[in-house]
């Protein structure tokens, strides 16, 4: 692809950005450069690729691609989503403070509280749907505001542009975990955020066959620092995983559209079912964040959380699922169903889960691209056991 990718549509960028035909063979798919090192021309002659921890052509293609999708200055691919978050948090030092969404992925909460707090980085966990609460939590030493929107799994929606403006006025940076929606539906950097982070394991890869993460910076200055961290810490994505994510991104728009279409049908079914006490989905008109989500994103996604009322009811349902797979993770072509309290958020103390409204009766659905009639039939027969 020639020219500025930012002038092209999203689907075109997803297929072509960062991926010119291979100069030696003309291959349209970026090759898997499975090498640890590269022959250099001569002493004192720097080369583009010298050592694979620092640079790899397959990984570089993915980094350029995701940066183009998020409209950032640079992208950086890591061995996991948590590795990407760890790189982001190197911007903070001992004595610094961050304001965070009170409901985030359990692994993020674990990393911040168990690994960073002992190094005297402090965190305030607030309801980031409430701008006044975010402002009240800011301190002179606050260096970052970190949010998820929608949050995992209670589906809180926060105003990215308003929070970014507040953070910047107070001299802080602002980061958004954009995993749930992907850049196809939401682009935080365009809304004012400084960073977008993804678990590429989820929607970007989309096929449940790769673990990875990516961090996109709005400024080249921050991008240069993240590249230095990649080089120094070495938690980089493998060439094969980069190849898999690049392959997955090519179909991201069509997968997201089909998943969301299926999710809307599933939501319509669930809100009418007598065994389901509550449905949490931003696409519902009565969801508190519905209007905001419609304003700051191009869709509502395919993640749904339901309240079954008790652990026993949730278990009775989950034990009967046949088409939807009972498993951790999300964002694949296959529908997955999970129990957040004992799976993704097991590392969050029970009392804190209670404060968040994350109950033992909650079930989270990641709706895939199967025939929707089969998904509805599966839910019908499983709920009949409750």
């Amino acid at each position: 692809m020639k020219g500025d990718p930012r002038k092209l549509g999203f689907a075109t960028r997803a297929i072509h950005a960062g991926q010119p035909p291979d100069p030696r063979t003309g291959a349209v798919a970026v090759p898997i450069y499975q090498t640890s090192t590269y022959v250099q021309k001569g002493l004192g002659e720097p080369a583009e690729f010298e050592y694979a921890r620092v640079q790899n052509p397959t990984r570089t293609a993915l980094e350029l691609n995701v940066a183009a999708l998020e409209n950032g200055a640079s992208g950086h691919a890591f061995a996991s989503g948590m590795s990407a978050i760890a790189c982001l948090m190197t911007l903070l030092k001992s004595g610094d403070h961050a304001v965070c969404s009170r409901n985030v992925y359990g692994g993020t909460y674990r990393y911040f509280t168990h690994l960073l707090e002992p190094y005297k980085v402090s965190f305030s966990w607030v309801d980031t749907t409430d701008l006044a609460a975010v402002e009240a939590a800011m301190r002179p030493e606050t260096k970052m505001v970190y949010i998820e929107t929608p949050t995992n799994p209670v589906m809180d929606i926060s105003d990215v542009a308003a929070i970014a403006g507040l953070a910047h006025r107070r001299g802080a940076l602002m980061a958004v975990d954009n995993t749930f929606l992907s850049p196809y539906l939401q682009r935080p950097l365009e809304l004012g955020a400084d960073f977008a982070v993804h678990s590429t394991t989820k929607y970007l890869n989309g096929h449940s066959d790769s673990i990875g993460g990516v961090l996109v910076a709005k400024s080249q200055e921050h991008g240069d620092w993240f590249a230095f961290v990649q080089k120094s810490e070495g938690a980089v994505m493998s060439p094969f995983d980069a190849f898999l994510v690049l392959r997955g991104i090519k179909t991201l728009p069509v997968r997201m559209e089909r998943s969301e279409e299926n999710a809307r049908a599933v939501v319509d079914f669930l809100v009418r079912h007598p065994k389901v006490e509550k449905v949490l989905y931003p696409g519902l008109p009565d969801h508190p964040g519905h209007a905001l989500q419609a304003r700051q994103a191009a869709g509502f996604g395919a993640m749904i959380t339901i309240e079954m009322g008790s652990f026993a009811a949730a278990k009775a349902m989950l034990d009967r699922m046949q088409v939807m797979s009972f498993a951790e993770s999300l964002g694949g072509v296959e529908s997955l169903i999970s129990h957040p309290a004992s799976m993704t958020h097991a590392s969050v103390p029970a009392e804190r889960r209670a404060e968040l409204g994350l109950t033992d009766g909650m079930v989270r659905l990641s709706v895939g691209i199967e025939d929707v009639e089969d998904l509805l039939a599966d839910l019908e027969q499983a709920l009949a056991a409750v």
Side-chain angles (χ1 to χ4, degrees):
M1 182 181 68
K2 299 178 181 179
D4 186 352
R6 290 172 294 185
K7 297 179 180 179
L8 300 172
F10 187 93
T12 305
R13 282 179 283 155
I15 294 169
H16 295 288
Q19 303 170 76
D22 179 60
R24 187 171 72 86
T25 66
V28 296
V30 176
I32 302 170
Y33 286 90
Q34 195 66 45
T35 184
S36 60
T37 192
Y38 311 85
V39 172
Q40 300 183 34
K41 293 181 179 179
L43 182 63
E45 298 182 47
E48 180 180 3
F49 298 100
E50 297 173 344
Y51 188 63
R53 171 167 43 79
V54 185
Q55 321 102 334
N56 178 277
T58 317
R59 193 177 84 226
T60 296
L62 172 62
E63 293 172 335
L64 291 171
N65 181 266
V66 178
L69 298 184
E70 286 281 13
N71 281 328
S74 65
H76 307 271
F78 296 87
S80 69
M82 289 310 306
S83 295
I85 292 172
C87 177
L88 169 69
M89 300 309 287
T90 61
L91 293 172
L92 304 187
K93 63 182 185 302
S94 180
D96 287 344
H97 171 255
V99 176
C100 304
S101 295
R102 62 181 182 176
N103 171 222
V104 294
Y105 167 56
T108 304
Y109 177 82
R110 179 177 57 224
Y111 178 67
F112 289 0
T113 58
H114 290 269
L115 293 181
L116 293 185
E117 284 187 345
Y119 287 92
K120 308 304 180 186
V121 177
S122 60
F123 298 88
S124 293
W125 302 92
V126 304
D127 178 3
T128 52
T129 69
D130 181 352
L131 194 62
V134 177
E135 187 164 21
M138 300 287 284
R139 307 173 187 171
E141 65 270 25
T142 302
K143 296 298 188 293
M144 184 176 293
V145 179
Y146 180 98
I147 73 169
E148 284 185 18
T149 183
T151 60
N152 179 6
V154 300
M155 302 295 174
D156 289 336
I157 306 299
S158 297
D159 190 328
V160 176
I163 294 174
L166 170 61
H168 294 157
R169 288 193 298 274
R170 300 293 292 268
L173 299 166
M174 198 263 199
V176 179
D177 184 331
N178 199 30
T179 298
F180 261 32
L181 291 180
S182 87
Y184 182 65
L185 294 180
Q186 180 172 269
R187 290 183 286 281
L189 302 190
E190 295 179 3
L191 296 168
D194 299 289
F195 314 105
V197 63
H198 295 266
S199 168
T200 62
T201 312
K202 314 306 194 291
Y203 284 108
L204 292 179
N205 170 259
H207 294 78
S208 301
D209 56 10
S210 169
I211 296 289
V214 69
L215 173 60
V216 181
K218 178 181 286 187
S219 78
Q220 191 58 54
E221 178 184 2
H222 287 127
D224 291 344
W225 170 253
F226 295 151
F228 178 78
V229 174
Q230 280 184 301
K231 173 181 178 179
S232 302
E233 293 188 342
V236 294
M237 183 180 287
S238 74
F240 184 58
D241 283 304
F243 172 83
L244 290 175
V245 179
L246 277 169
R247 177 216 56 185
I249 287 175
K250 291 178 188 294
T251 59
L252 176 64
V254 292
R255 286 188 288 104
M256 291 300 298
E257 289 176 3
R258 176 60 178 268
S259 289
E260 184 169 355
E261 179 184 346
N262 281 356
R264 289 174 181 271
V266 169
V267 167
D268 289 344
F269 169 83
L270 292 171
V271 295
R272 296 194 303 268
H273 201 286
K275 301 287 184 66
V276 178
E277 293 192 359
K278 189 175 184 180
V279 178
L280 302 178
Y281 181 68
L284 287 170
D286 62 352
H287 187 284
H290 176 79
L292 172 58
Q293 182 70 10
R295 186 168 72 247
Q296 72 180 7
F300 300 101
M303 299 300 301
I304 306 164
T305 299
I306 61 175
E307 176 58 67
M308 293 302 299
S310 68
F311 176 85
K315 178 174 172 52
M317 174 193 180
L318 291 167
D319 285 348
R320 286 284 297 271
M321 299 304 300
Q322 297 176 3
V323 177
M324 292 190 178
S325 300
F326 179 53
E328 301 221 21
S329 200
L330 59 102
V333 292
E334 65 287 302
S335 294
L336 301 177
I337 191 164
S338 65
H339 184 250
S342 63
M343 298 170 77
T344 57
H345 288 69
S347 60
V348 178
E351 61 274 15
R352 179 168 178 79
R353 293 200 303 268
E355 292 172 3
L356 299 174
L358 202 169
T359 73
D360 288 345
M362 276 188 169
V363 171
R364 192 190 73 182
L365 296 81
S366 171
V367 181
I369 67 172
E370 300 96 336
D371 291 309
V372 72
E373 295 82 6
D374 295 326
L375 299 178
L376 298 178
D378 193 30
L379 287 165
E380 180 67 70
Q381 63 83 26
L383 286 166
V386 178

